[in-house]
Amino acid sequence: MIDIHTHILPHIDDGAKNTEIACKMLEAELAQGTTLLVLTPHYYGKRRSPSQFVEKRAEVYARLKPHIPENIEVRLGAEVHFTGLNLPQLEELCSLAIEGTECILFEFPFMEKWHSLLLARLAEFIAETDYLPIIAHVERYEEILKKPALVMQLVNMGCLLQVNAQSFIDKRSSKFAMALLKKGLVHCIGSDAHDLDARNADLLSAKAVIEKAGLGAEWERAQSIMQEVVLGKKLRFRTNAKIKKLFGLYF
């Protein structure tokens, strides 16, 4: 099993508070059968340049590395806050891609209306670099919840969509997450694990809920896509699938 979105690396963002907690999070990943995980600490660009971030990430990873279980392969990456404004140079931005790939995890603004430049700059990034954006926890953005058609637009631009495992379990988010899954619009599933409690790496519970809904094949499809991603392949999909919203329901 692959976990493509985690905040296990300590002392760098709002994830694991220390090495002890990080080690317990790694043990939890191993216990549920994770064989490969990507460490994706937040990059906001406020305190550090991309090169400074990469240097800090290497420093804290060196301290954690001796504690990583032998049965888990680890890749370094980042969850890059992407607003369309004040972006680093493209070469610097690409340095934050998942290790060994040309795929980069982007986080969009959560609650506020998206700036008109956001999707334009995203299209420019794809055209200029040929890198593959993976849109983190696509089910959580207020702009997408209001305008579900944006999901189809992102896919047809050349993005992969990642959904958090917890969103399939949580009643507030499960309707949209399941609708995305049924439409074949979930390419990656990650834990987005930050701690051992409310934001833990509970992938197996999500898998059980998905299988109970008769969508086990979609879980396996996401695992296959993530395997291709970490192997360095750039997968792009086209879709005509539309998510409709009616009285708070998605279908």
Side-chain angles (χ1 to χ4, degrees), residues 69-165:
E70 292 183 1
N71 294 342
I72 294 182
E73 180 184 348
V74 170
R75 301 284 186 91
L76 295 175
E79 183 181 4
V80 180
H81 192 57
F82 191 100
T83 64
L85 301 171
N86 303 317
L87 292 176
Q89 295 294 317
L90 292 181
E91 184 177 345
E92 285 192 304
L93 201 54
C94 291
S95 71
L96 302 177
I98 295 170
E99 184 179 4
T101 79
E102 293 183 351
C103 302
I104 184 166
L105 186 68
F106 282 146
E107 176 186 66
F108 288 170
F110 276 100
M111 302 304 294
E112 62 267 33
K113 182 178 175 62
W114 289 354
H115 193 281
S116 59
L117 284 176
L118 189 146
L119 295 183
R121 290 285 172 82
L122 181 65
E124 179 185 9
F125 172 81
I126 296 168
E128 293 294 325
T129 67
D130 199 36
Y131 271 53
L132 174 66
I134 302 172
I135 309 304
H137 38 60
V138 71
E139 78 286 3
R140 295 179 61 194
Y141 303 118
E142 191 66 26
E143 192 80 351
I144 284 181
L145 291 170
K146 291 177 181 176
K147 305 172 186 175
L150 284 170
V151 171
M152 184 173 66
Q153 184 177 349
L154 288 168
V155 173
N156 290 335
M157 285 175 67
C159 301
L160 297 185
L161 308 181
Q162 181 256 312
V163 172
N164 284 358

Side-chain angles (χ1 to χ4, degrees), residues 7-13 15-20 22 56 60-61 63-64:
H7 297 273
I8 293 174
L9 201 60
H11 307 298
I12 192 169
D13 66 0
K17 301 300 181 185
N18 52 51
T19 301
E20 181 182 1
K56 177 65 176 179
V60 294
Y61 177 62
R63 295 202 296 267
L64 180 65

Side-chain angles (χ1 to χ4, degrees), residues 23-242:
C23 288
K24 289 180 179 179
M25 292 173 73
L26 287 168
E27 290 169 5
E29 291 273 12
L30 182 64
Q32 65 182 338
T34 302
T35 55
L36 189 152
L37 61 84
V38 186
L39 302 174
T40 54
H42 289 288
Y43 175 75
Y44 290 113
K46 294 179 180 178
R47 292 187 299 164
R48 303 184 181 102
S49 68
S51 59
Q52 290 170 329
F53 173 86
V54 169
E55 183 178 347
K56 177 65 176 179
R57 186 184 65 184
E59 174 191 323
V60 294
Y61 177 62
R63 295 202 296 267
L64 180 65
K65 190 174 181 180
H67 304 285
I68 296 173
E70 292 183 1
N71 294 342
I72 294 182
E73 180 184 348
V74 170
R75 301 284 186 91
L76 295 175
E79 183 181 4
V80 180
H81 192 57
F82 191 100
T83 64
L85 301 171
N86 303 317
L87 292 176
Q89 295 294 317
L90 292 181
E91 184 177 345
E92 285 192 304
L93 201 54
C94 291
S95 71
L96 302 177
I98 295 170
E99 184 179 4
T101 79
E102 293 183 351
C103 302
I104 184 166
L105 186 68
F106 282 146
E107 176 186 66
F108 288 170
F110 276 100
M111 302 304 294
E112 62 267 33
K113 182 178 175 62
W114 289 354
H115 193 281
S116 59
L117 284 176
L118 189 146
L119 295 183
R121 290 285 172 82
L122 181 65
E124 179 185 9
F125 172 81
I126 296 168
E128 293 294 325
T129 67
D130 199 36
Y131 271 53
L132 174 66
I134 302 172
I135 309 304
H137 38 60
V138 71
E139 78 286 3
R140 295 179 61 194
Y141 303 118
E142 191 66 26
E143 192 80 351
I144 284 181
L145 291 170
K146 291 177 181 176
K147 305 172 186 175
L150 284 170
V151 171
M152 184 173 66
Q153 184 177 349
L154 288 168
V155 173
N156 290 335
M157 285 175 67
C159 301
L160 297 185
L161 308 181
Q162 181 256 312
V163 172
N164 284 358
Q166 188 64 34
S167 293
F168 294 104
I169 303 167
D170 189 285
K171 289 183 179 180
R172 294 169 297 178
S173 56
S174 62
K175 292 181 178 63
F176 188 45
M178 284 295 187
L180 291 170
L181 197 66
K182 289 175 183 176
K183 298 281 188 174
L185 294 169
V186 177
H187 307 115
C188 304
I189 297 173
S191 70
D192 194 10
H194 280 64
D195 54 41
L196 293 164
D197 302 311
R199 304 185 71 181
N200 60 30
D202 194 1
L203 291 165
L204 285 183
S205 292
K207 182 183 180 183
V209 168
I210 289 168
E211 289 178 339
K212 186 176 180 180
L215 296 169
E218 290 301 321
W219 170 275
E220 295 302 331
R221 174 176 178 262
Q223 289 292 318
S224 297
I225 290 172
M226 290 188 290
Q227 183 66 48
E228 297 283 278
V229 166
V230 296
L231 287 173
K233 298 184 179 180
K234 289 184 288 188
L235 306 175
R236 289 191 166 96
F237 299 91
R238 300 287 298 178
T239 183
N240 293 316
K242 295 181 180 179

